[in-house]
């Protein structure tokens, strides 16, 4: 006995999707933007190299000061992105990196990510040298993984003098530390083309944690 075929459901586009499908300028604009994003992370890389010249970091064993990587992708929660890891050390559970992430539709993030190795000393440095990071627009990231990039309630805690005791309690329970600056795309630094300068300044603020 033959089984009656079931017609497939029609695949329908919304009017907005049809407009995008017919927009031949969209991907040309996207290509231009992605090229500019790459130029920004390359500029950050140059600035960070200058900032770290002659600096000795409290780094994990086997760390190479020249190690870095540029990454480009399309699907960080469905949004394109580019990032630079410099400096960079990933070995087993050890993480020691400064990441610059440009996340389409969201923001730019400069993040110091620390796990394993000298973590206890990094936490101590953060607290004893807190004056350099408090009230500077930096935040402790609260996610259960270093690879969460959202900002706001439940995701980040602003590093202010008023929250120093709260920070101390949080650090005691955390298996990694991630301190970050989040920069919206409408920020004057972005509009004026000074993102590499801000990346370098952010690393300079965070260096006391890792030296």
């Amino acid at each position: 006995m033959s089984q009656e075929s079931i017609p497939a459901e029609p695949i329908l586009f919304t009017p907005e999707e049809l407009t995008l499908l017919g927009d031949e300028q969209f991907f040309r604009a996207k290509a231009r933007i992605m090229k500019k994003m790459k130029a920004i992370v390359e500029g950050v890389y140059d600035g960070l190299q200058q900032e770290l010249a002659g600096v000795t970091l409290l780094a994990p064993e086997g760390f190479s000061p020249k190690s870095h990587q540029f990454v480009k992708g399309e699907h960080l929660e469905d949004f394109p992105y580019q990032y630079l890891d410099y400096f960079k050390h990933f070995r087993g559970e050890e993480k020691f990196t400064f990441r610059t992430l440009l996340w389409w539709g969201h923001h730019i993030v400069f993040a110091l990510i620390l796990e394993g190795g000298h973590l206890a000393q990094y936490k101590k440095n953060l607290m004893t040298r807190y004056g350099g990071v408090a009230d500077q627009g930096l935040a402790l990231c609260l996610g259960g993984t270093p690879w969460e990039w959202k900002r706001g309630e439940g995701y980040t805690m602003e590093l202010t003098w008023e929250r120093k005791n709260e920070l101390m309690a949080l650090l005691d329970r955390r298996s990694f530390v991630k301190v970050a600056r989040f920069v919206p795309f409408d920020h004057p630094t972005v509009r004026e083309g000074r993102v590499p300068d801000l990346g370098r300044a952010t690393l300079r603020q965070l260096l006391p944690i890792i030296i």
Side-chain angles (χ1 to χ4, degrees):
M1 188 171 92
S2 64
Q3 186 175 3
E4 185 176 344
S5 62
I6 301 174
E9 289 290 327
I11 299 172
L12 302 177
F13 294 102
T14 67
E16 293 80 8
E17 289 168 342
L18 289 171
T19 298
L20 288 172
L21 277 171
D23 184 357
E24 65 180 35
Q25 298 303 317
F26 176 79
F27 279 102
R28 290 194 177 100
K30 180 174 180 286
R32 290 194 303 272
I33 291 169
M34 293 296 278
K35 185 178 293 186
K36 291 178 180 180
M37 289 169 67
K38 178 67 185 306
I40 288 172
V41 293
E42 288 173 343
V44 172
Y45 176 57
D46 292 341
L48 298 183
Q49 284 184 297
Q50 296 173 38
E51 193 64 35
L52 289 175
V55 175
T56 300
L57 302 176
L58 180 62
E61 185 177 352
F63 169 73
S64 169
K66 294 183 178 181
S67 181
H68 67 282
Q69 66 176 352
F70 292 94
V71 176
K72 173 183 176 182
E74 293 287 332
H75 300 293
L76 180 52
E77 299 190 15
D78 293 331
F79 291 86
Y81 64 94
Q82 293 192 43
Y83 71 77
L84 161 70
D85 283 342
Y86 177 74
F87 44 89
K88 178 182 83 78
H89 176 88
F90 299 111
R91 179 176 295 175
E93 295 301 310
E94 287 184 335
K95 298 177 183 67
F96 182 75
T97 193
F98 185 77
R99 176 167 291 188
T100 301
L101 170 71
L102 280 70
W103 188 15
W104 191 296
H106 293 78
H107 38 233
I108 299 171
V109 190
F110 302 107
L112 178 65
I113 299 171
L114 307 167
E115 184 175 7
H118 303 291
L119 183 63
Q121 185 62 51
Y122 301 143
K123 290 179 178 181
K124 181 179 179 181
N125 289 349
L126 176 55
M127 298 310 304
T128 59
R129 302 168 183 175
Y130 194 59
V133 298
D135 298 313
Q136 299 294 321
L138 300 167
L140 179 73
C141 296
L142 305 175
T145 166
W147 316 125
E148 172 60 69
W149 299 101
K150 295 187 181 71
R151 178 187 190 181
E153 187 68 28
Y155 294 105
T156 54
M157 185 188 82
E158 299 301 312
L159 296 181
T160 63
W161 275 112
E162 291 77 8
R163 306 190 79 168
K164 185 176 181 181
N165 289 337
E166 185 179 352
L167 171 64
M168 188 180 300
L170 282 171
L171 288 178
D172 188 55
R173 301 192 299 267
R174 297 196 66 79
S175 62
F176 67 90
V177 171
K178 179 180 175 183
V179 180
R181 180 188 304 282
F182 294 81
V183 185
F185 285 112
D186 62 357
H187 192 276
T189 299
V190 184
R191 293 199 302 267
E192 296 165 10
R194 297 185 289 109
V195 173
D197 295 334
L198 184 57
R200 183 173 179 176
T202 302
L203 176 61
R204 189 182 309 127
Q205 288 178 305
L206 295 174
L207 275 180
I209 301 173
I210 54 173
I211 57 175

